[in-house]
Amino acid sequence: MEKSFGIFETVRVEKGKAILVDYHYRRMKQSSECLEIPFSLSLKKFKEEIEKNAKFEVSLVRLTLYRNGNYDISSRPCEKKDSVTLIPVDSIRRYYSTLSLYKTIDIMDSLYALEEARRKDGDEALLFDTDGFVSETAFANIFFVKDGVFFTPSLKTGCLPGTRREFILELLKEMGIPAFEGFYTLENLLSADEVFITSARYDVARVRRIGKKEFKEPNGKSWSERILDLICESNSKR
């Protein structure tokens, strides 16, 4: 029973350094408090545990915290892509609930959706909520840009409050760039100037295709590249 009830964080570690580790720690701390799961690690100890368990040149280190307060850590290699293809998947739907706000260990629906997308030569599955609005991908948040304005699905669509999602929204606010959280359709995405996904694995990856819709290569530096540069710059100061 204890092993079936828990939360986790997956942190990317590059050159021995955990990326945006404070965002991951804050989310796990908030989740543990709301779900009444004991969590005794300080930020310093959390960071140490993550970094010492990175086994590869670029690692994804997962810390799983169980209901009794015990935790375990695993590591796997991280294969990043600069751009991805999304396949809309209708067989799995997101919905807003208390648990949708937390990164729980029950991810079978996401794995199923990802497998379905990969059978159709996609990198990620584009998922919708029960009303048909865009929510997220199987394992990443999604943003799109239209006429210099940024948009991302509301948490009310059942998407996870991702660490990069939080960072980017804070960043855009600091830069004075308009950004909105709301309810958007597939048509909104397909008519965007640029679409990108965000996660610990990718940081930021531009979407080059959704289904059969190909997006044009941006003139000059894409927004996803610019934001990735700012994430790297921010992390170098931590």
Side-chain angles (χ1 to χ4, degrees):
M1 177 64 178
E2 296 297 345
K3 287 285 186 177
S4 64
F5 190 110
I7 55 179
F8 71 97
E9 289 293 328
T10 302
V11 185
R12 197 173 77 254
V13 180
E14 293 186 8
K15 299 178 181 178
K17 189 170 185 178
I19 310 300
L20 293 185
V21 66
D22 48 339
Y23 283 77
H24 287 283
Y25 177 80
R26 183 164 62 244
R27 183 170 63 182
M28 176 159 272
K29 186 74 172 174
Q30 291 172 345
S31 299
S32 68
E33 291 172 354
C34 291
L35 297 176
E36 299 182 344
I37 300 174
F39 181 50
S40 59
L41 295 181
S42 65
L43 172 57
K44 180 181 178 181
K45 182 63 175 176
F46 179 80
K47 183 174 182 289
E48 289 174 354
E49 287 285 279
I50 294 294
E51 292 180 345
K52 80 178 184 182
N53 282 281
K55 307 299 184 185
F56 307 93
E57 184 176 352
V58 182
S59 299
L60 288 173
V61 181
R62 170 172 163 160
L63 188 149
T64 305
L65 178 68
Y66 299 105
R67 191 174 198 170
N68 59 8
N70 291 335
Y71 64 88
D72 57 37
I73 302 179
S74 61
S75 177
R76 68 183 192 273
C78 177
E79 298 177 2
K80 288 182 65 176
K81 292 186 176 183
D82 296 327
S83 62
V84 295
T85 292
L86 305 184
I87 302 295
V89 171
D90 290 321
S91 58
I92 299 295
R93 294 280 174 155
R94 295 296 197 225
Y95 62 92
Y96 178 74
S97 71
T98 299
L99 290 181
S100 69
L101 296 172
Y102 310 115
K103 200 171 179 72
T104 65
I105 60 177
D106 181 14
I107 58 170
M108 187 173 177
D109 56 349
S110 294
L111 291 170
Y112 182 90
L114 184 60
E115 286 182 358
E116 185 171 333
R118 288 180 173 172
R119 283 195 296 269
K120 299 176 181 178
D121 297 321
D123 298 301
E124 261 283 2
L126 176 61
L127 300 179
F128 306 87
D129 71 4
T130 52
D131 292 319
F133 294 109
V134 173
S135 178
E136 59 184 350
T137 76
F139 288 100
N141 290 115
I142 190 163
F143 284 80
F144 66 97
V145 187
K146 184 70 174 179
D147 298 328
V149 179
F150 283 69
F151 303 88
T152 194
S154 165
L155 297 180
K156 295 290 186 179
T157 65
C159 66
L160 182 76
T163 54
R164 273 66 180 170
R165 180 184 186 276
E166 180 184 1
F167 177 88
I168 291 169
L169 288 173
E170 290 176 356
L171 178 67
L172 294 172
K173 185 176 181 180
E174 289 175 7
M175 296 174 67
I177 297 173
F180 297 93
E181 301 174 65
F183 298 87
Y184 309 111
T185 64
L186 177 58
E187 288 70 29
N188 293 140
L189 285 190
L190 298 180
S191 64
D193 300 324
E194 184 179 342
V195 182
F196 59 87
I197 64 172
T198 65
S199 70
R201 175 185 175 186
Y202 293 110
D203 266 340
V204 181
R206 183 177 63 83
V207 174
R208 64 178 178 273
R209 178 167 63 87
I210 298 178
K212 295 181 179 180
K213 162 73 176 183
E214 295 276 353
F215 288 89
K216 294 180 180 179
E217 289 282 339
N219 293 322
K221 209 166 195 178
S222 67
W223 273 110
S224 57
E225 290 174 310
R226 285 185 251 178
I227 289 174
L228 181 57
D229 287 345
L230 291 168
I231 290 176
C232 294
E233 179 183 327
S234 173
N235 202 68
S236 67
K237 297 176 181 177
R238 294 174 188 276

